[in-house]
Amino acid sequence: MKERNNLERFKRIWARTGTRMGFVTLLVVLFWLKTLVAYFVDFKLGLSDPFQFLIVLLNPIATTVLLFGLALYLKRARFFYPFIFLIDILDTLLLYINVIYFREFTDFMTVSTVLGYSKVDQGLSGSSLALTSPHDILYWLDLVVVLVLMLTRRIYVDPRPVNKRVGLAVTSAALLAFSVNLALGEMDRPQLLTRTFDRTYVVKYLGLDAFTVYDGIKSGHTSELRSHAKKSELSGILKYVHKNYAAPDKKLYGVAKKKNVIIIHLESFQQFLINKKVNGQEVTPFLNKLYKSKSTYSFDNFFHEVGQGKTSDAETMLESGTYGLSQGSLFTQLGNDNTFQAAPAIFNQAGYTTAVFHGNVGSFWNRNNTYKNLGYQYFFDASYYDTSGDKSLGYGLKDKLLFNDSVKYLQHLQQPFYVKYLTVSNHFPFSLDSEDSNFKTPNTGDKTVDNYFKTANYLDQSIKEFYHYLDKSGLAKNSLVMIYGDHYGISNSSNKSLAKLLGVDPDDWNDYDNAQLQRVPLMFNMPGYTKGKVEHTYGGEIDVLPTLMHLMGMSTKKYLQFGTDLFSSEHNQVVAFRNRDWESPGYTSVDGTIYSNKTKQEIHPTGKLKTKIEAMQKHVNQGLNYSDSLNTKNLLRFYHPKGFTAVDPADYNYSDGLQKAEKLEKKLGLKSTSLFSRNGDKSTQGLYKTDAPELNHKETDSNRIKITNPDDTSGK
């Protein structure tokens, strides 16, 4: 009898799903449940007490009822059901792309990021597939089940419209619930929406839908600020930059004057890889030797400072001397029309040819537009290479092929040149074809961590081959090669799997350890130089441009750059992270918690130390705020350094780079300084030796490259 009563009760409840109110309730409950799956399985919201747990349980309800309840205003069934399904699908899509994004970036998608990624038209699909998980079916299963139940008439279509007063009541109840939700959030985190907090806080207290709307309003506000910006707003920025200017080291200023500059951008390459052994094998044997060479200045306390823009943020700091944006990518959001006084233009106006070599499509990160505004004359993207078959990975041409295939373009550039190579093989999800590497990976139980060492080893081999060519072609002796890591490869969510390999107990791993792993390599290698060493100065990517320019004998005083020369005795060693955390030789700040680098323990500063810590935080905040103001308001359009000519992007066309270079060679004739011309108009491609299996090279003694002397990069 009891079972029969329960069955009858269930039937009555289920029958209500046949009404419009019942159908809305069903979808709201199902969406609430899968949002909780995201909150507790995929997102790391940092719940610290039962009150926050309660808020997280409640916060999806108000916005979901508000959105789904809009369908109640539609009278006809043929409009009501498709509309509410569309709302459900779009909201599920928003939830799911945030799940995928969070797994890689430990962050949430902003409106700026979404708009920016509309210009990033490929490459993400492969990475997204690797970020999927079996339980992801739960995010879409409810939609399929409900649709099937409707098609099989287990849920009936209700032709009866809902009274408008009911719709208004639902909307009012949703708004009231949201107000309560906001009040609870403010109780636990005062000034939640008026102060600058981590995006995780907004999602934790108000939910993903509310965060997206809030972020969209902020983005619109930024657009409004940009349109009303005034020249007078530069005054504070000028004072800050001039006050923090660091004069160059006189002994090193101009040490590489008039040399070629070759920048090698190490994708996702962290400092711990240097000198690291796995299963008795050196992960990066060539870079290890280069790192310790007397021809190299290396830095072991150098940090990436990227935000959501990751690789493009690293490029922003390298080229412009300003930080990436607090949200999204500067390249994709502002790259089309922002004014820059960047390295490519500065070097070009000093007589350098400027070019980028990258085996991905030019539209990725909106580079094909941004590079023109930066002042790059040439951009050899994927359209210049054969990327067919297994020659390419998810993010473009494999590194060995990029370096090899770029020779036919590099050799035609007039010297001196400023060129940048963007590698991609050491990119998440760190996959290589089996024939590309026989490196024996560790067994941490985390495939991402294990394969990271294999792709890093492949990248190391690629650079070794490229150096062999530089020596054989004669470029090495007349070049400064700058090598740097752009950002982390192993995300914080996988760091505990990495801990054992670093000699740390995973149970002891904490936020301080995560912060220390944000070190990436920085090397200035000048073949033939003999005074290099490993520097222990603290610095970040924002400091690269002034350091490089001073080595080249170029003054930075007239430019608005937020970093300082790493070799200068006046260099400020406080390293700002994009989320306003920071590093310094003595202390580390993570989410407002201060750690002593000496003890690796949390401290609570008082007295003079508290004042010192506050001064460091103020310096970080000012730099980030002024940089954001400069870029978001495009204030450089009001600033005209003496001797610098504003860049006109219309001057550049990247579709015929080789033809333009060859045409210039012929025009210059005997005065041409290209490697091709200096080689008697003969190609240097034959000097390049690679064991890339895609080129069907046999492994012979002639193409194996051996380096036994750390100061000998000749490959002999």
Side-chain angles (χ1 to χ4, degrees), residues 116-141:
Y117 273 95
S118 68
K119 300 173 184 175
V120 181
D121 59 9
Q122 72 89 40
L124 290 175
S125 56
S127 179
S128 297
L129 183 62
L131 290 166
T132 57
S133 180
H135 74 265
D136 289 359
I137 191 173
L138 297 175
Y139 294 115
W140 301 99
L141 185 61

Side-chain angles (χ1 to χ4, degrees), residues 680-695:
D681 289 346
K682 295 179 182 178
S683 176
T684 61
Q685 286 180 264
L687 299 175
Y688 204 100
K689 303 297 180 183
T690 178
D691 63 5
E694 297 83 2
L695 299 180

Side-chain angles (χ1 to χ4, degrees), residues 220-510:
H221 179 61
T222 298
S223 179
E224 183 72 12
L225 286 176
R226 187 181 177 90
S227 64
H228 293 93
K230 298 178 181 178
K231 184 178 180 179
S232 58
E233 295 178 83
L234 272 171
S235 59
I237 298 172
L238 287 166
K239 288 179 182 178
Y240 174 85
V241 170
H242 292 154
K243 178 183 177 182
N244 289 282
Y245 170 78
D249 183 323
K250 292 181 180 179
K251 293 181 180 179
L252 290 175
Y253 186 78
V255 70
K257 192 172 185 177
K258 297 198 181 294
K259 285 181 177 286
N260 296 314
V261 176
I262 300 172
I263 297 171
I264 301 178
H265 176 113
L266 304 179
E267 173 63 44
S268 305
F269 197 102
Q270 289 172 256
Q271 176 69 21
F272 70 79
L273 290 168
I274 299 295
N275 295 324
K276 182 66 182 173
K277 285 187 177 182
V278 172
N279 297 320
Q281 316 161 91
E282 285 187 275
V283 181
T284 58
F286 179 73
L287 286 173
N288 294 347
K289 292 172 181 177
L290 207 60
Y291 180 80
K292 294 177 288 188
S293 169
K294 293 296 183 182
S295 63
T296 306
Y297 282 104
S298 303
F299 291 83
D300 60 4
N301 288 311
F302 179 76
F303 295 81
H304 80 78
E305 299 171 279
V306 306
Q308 288 183 333
K310 293 192 80 176
T311 296
S312 67
D313 277 1
E315 290 188 80
T316 295
M317 288 181 276
L318 166 71
E319 308 290 18
S320 73
T322 65
Y323 293 98
L325 300 179
S326 59
Q327 297 178 5
S329 162
L330 185 145
F331 269 35
T332 56
Q333 290 177 229
L334 308 176
N336 283 24
D337 54 9
N338 236 38
T339 300
F340 298 102
Q341 289 153 14
I346 293 170
F347 274 84
N348 180 235
Q349 292 176 28
Y352 280 70
T353 304
T354 57
V356 181
F357 299 95
H358 186 36
N360 203 345
V361 295
S363 59
F364 197 84
W365 284 126
N366 195 36
R367 288 187 175 102
N368 55 336
N369 293 310
T370 306
Y371 282 166
K372 293 176 182 178
N373 280 307
L374 292 175
Y376 271 116
Q377 295 169 282
Y378 299 92
F379 179 24
F380 298 100
D381 68 351
S383 64
Y384 285 89
Y385 307 103
D386 177 7
T387 60
S388 62
D390 58 0
K391 294 183 176 67
S392 181
L393 296 169
Y395 286 86
L397 192 67
K398 292 177 181 177
D399 295 340
K400 287 186 178 181
L401 301 179
L402 171 68
F403 285 117
N404 178 78
D405 295 355
S406 66
V407 167
K408 59 187 172 186
Y409 308 119
L410 178 69
Q411 66 181 355
H412 290 288
L413 299 182
Q414 299 299 305
Q415 300 183 70
F417 48 63
Y418 172 95
V419 300
K420 178 170 65 176
Y421 282 83
L422 295 170
T423 63
V424 300
S425 297
N426 193 47
H427 197 296
F428 183 87
F430 311 115
S431 59
L432 277 177
D433 296 323
S434 57
E435 64 269 21
D436 286 320
S437 174
N438 59 5
F439 187 83
K440 187 177 179 181
T441 62
N443 184 18
T444 65
D446 187 323
K447 189 176 180 180
T448 296
V449 173
D450 296 343
N451 287 339
Y452 181 61
F453 293 94
K454 177 180 285 191
T455 54
N457 177 259
Y458 174 86
L459 173 55
D460 182 75
Q461 294 176 37
S462 306
I463 296 170
K464 180 180 179 180
E465 291 179 353
F466 182 54
Y467 256 85
H468 180 264
Y469 168 76
L470 293 179
D471 179 74
K472 291 298 183 181
S473 66
L475 283 177
K477 63 184 178 183
N478 193 39
S479 298
L480 177 150
V481 183
M482 194 196 92
I483 302 173
Y484 80 110
D486 62 346
H487 53 73
Y488 65 88
I490 305 300
S491 63
N492 288 349
S493 59
S494 294
N495 278 345
K496 286 195 174 184
S497 299
L498 178 67
K500 286 184 180 180
L501 292 176
L502 302 180
V504 180
D505 186 338
D507 293 333
D508 295 333
W509 195 271
N510 60 20

